[in-house]
Amino acid sequence: MIVKSLESTVSSVLSLKRPALIAHGEQLHSKNARPLAVIDENNNEFLASGGEELELEPEPATTDTLRPFYDGKSVFVTGGTGFLGKVLIEKLLRACEGLRTIYILLRPKRGLTSEQRYREFVRHPVFDRLRSKTPQLLEKLVCVGGDISLPLLGLSERDHRTLLEQVQVVFHVAATVRFNEGLIEAALLNTIGTKRLLDLCDNMQQLQSVVHVSTAYSNPCRSEVDEVVYPPPMDPEQFMQCIQLLPGDVINAIAGKLQGTHPNTYTLTKSITEQLVAQYADRLPLCIVRPSIVTGAVAEPYPGWIDNVYGITGIMMEIGRGTISSIMCDERCTMDVIPVDIVCNTLIAAAWENAQKIATPIRVYNCTSGQVNGIKWHEYGRITQQCAVRNPTKYVMLYPGFRFRTNRLMHKLVELLLHFLPAYLFDVLMRAQGAKPIMAKIAKRFQKAADTGEYFAMHEWSFRNDNLLGLGRRVRRDRAGADFPCDVRGLDWAAYIENYMLGIRRFVLKDELDSMSQARSKLQRLLWLKRFLQLGALLLLYYFCGLLFRMQHI
């Protein structure tokens, strides 16, 4: 029976038809300006750009239920050690002081036990403000040893019983966000892990709200994405059967067919998981939040805060260091990025709204920026380069300058000449000085990152935001509304990007503001070097042209 079931499952999976990619349209670019705050090395805040601040018309507070909703509540967070998870936990502790407990699922990793990782976690810089002002709030954090990829989440009997008896709100943030993750690993974490969590939630005695974090790109074959759960490319149960019962080599052999028109295993598994979540919505208080590309913070925990070099952050960092000269991207498209603190505010508010009124079918929030306050890739890139020149890092290697390209051959040629050739030359010099060569390795790493993100830079999507904007209106009518902005209305992109670049400089490169003068002097020298090399290249070209001319007249 099992063999026949497997044959039927594989056959049905491989025979599925998927829609082709739909052409994309142009988006509008809102220019509502609003200066943001920058922080110095002493955590003092100041405006990043001059001019008067343009305030959005405040809405009168008519309710006071958002913050009180969390009073006395116990919250369970998966994925708490990730970029989004850390900001969410910090905001919950700081802005919802009435919370009783936050349980954090932590798995053993890199030879450390869950408890050892927890002790490292509470010392993370994201909690610096809490440690300095209200350190007692950190005592509300409780480590729960477990693993989303294990049966019953790998929980001990005691922790399992505690969660079932105590938890009222669940934030499911855990997922693998690696675009090049193997299908088995992606399915275990994103789909099967979610099912295990939902089964746990199904037995929670006081549960009031569950928020599942998906992605705005879970339906990449649709140019217009509404706030609904679309039919997945395959049935979730059949998909999980394939992953759990078929041998690994068989899954790897059919992975390409399973992936179909999805650009990677991340969007595929997220799409299937959304349908799985929707199937539980008739017995659990569920909602789905779909962020687009999550980027550095607008304001919280600090303006420009970032703690990783994944995706667009790594690209921006290398633009600032001058090591990227060409990026495959259709600069005419509207990009869609969303600051991490806006996402966290949306998660907190969505859990509150979901507990007040459960929607049928399941409520989905597209947490995106393109239709609210969009920006084109070419404008984002132009501002990024200006910021790289205005506020350079002492780790700058070459004078910043890059172009977006859609011609792959030209991109590869520029990549070879201006990315890899300088990297190998730097490594030769480092070897000669007895240092460890790392530039070629860095160049390859960021080439891989750019390649995996190329699909999203070459296409454009229109995300409907009715539910998100409605949530924002209800939040603004609450007394705590000013502390939980859920969209990017009025965001000044130029000020935000400058904060973001300063955040990369400070939090990722560990380059404080006191090195700015030194960095600007270095940048000026690199500009003269660039001009010298350009002049040399022109003279060399002139020489060869003259040589060819003389040869033709002999």
Side-chain angles (χ1 to χ4, degrees), residues 83-94:
F83 174 49
L84 179 59
K86 285 195 287 282
V87 180
L88 172 64
I89 290 169
E90 195 274 345
K91 181 62 181 276
L92 283 168
L93 288 173
R94 182 167 45 81

Side-chain angles (χ1 to χ4, degrees), residues 75-136:
V75 173
F76 180 44
V77 179
T78 69
T81 59
F83 174 49
L84 179 59
K86 285 195 287 282
V87 180
L88 172 64
I89 290 169
E90 195 274 345
K91 181 62 181 276
L92 283 168
L93 288 173
R94 182 167 45 81
C96 303
E97 294 187 7
L99 265 174
R100 179 184 175 188
T101 308
I102 299 179
Y103 296 100
I104 309 169
L105 186 70
L106 279 172
R107 63 188 172 104
K109 190 177 180 181
R110 297 190 303 271
L112 299 176
T113 65
S114 298
E115 281 294 336
Q116 289 171 326
R117 289 190 67 207
Y118 172 74
R119 287 194 289 272
E120 279 189 355
F121 175 73
V122 295
R123 292 196 298 267
H124 195 278
V126 74
F127 301 117
D128 282 351
R129 182 179 297 181
L130 284 172
R131 262 192 301 272
S132 64
K133 295 181 178 179
T134 51
Q136 68 277 9

Side-chain angles (χ1 to χ4, degrees), residues 24 29 217 293 295 311-313 315-316 319 327-337 374-385 402-405 453-461 497:
H24 48 270
H29 178 197
Y217 302 103
I293 302 170
T295 51
I312 196 170
T313 302
I315 301 299
M316 292 173 69
I319 288 173
I327 298 174
M328 280 293 292
C329 173
D330 186 346
E331 63 181 6
R332 300 166 300 176
C333 291
T334 297
M335 69 183 307
D336 208 303
V337 296
I375 183 170
K376 301 288 184 182
W377 278 102
H378 74 82
E379 182 69 6
Y380 195 97
R382 182 187 65 80
I383 298 171
T384 299
Q385 185 161 315
F402 78 100
R403 285 187 60 186
F404 290 125
R405 289 181 169 85
E454 180 184 313
Y455 180 88
F456 305 96
M458 295 292 289
H459 296 92
E460 183 179 89
W461 291 265
I497 295 168

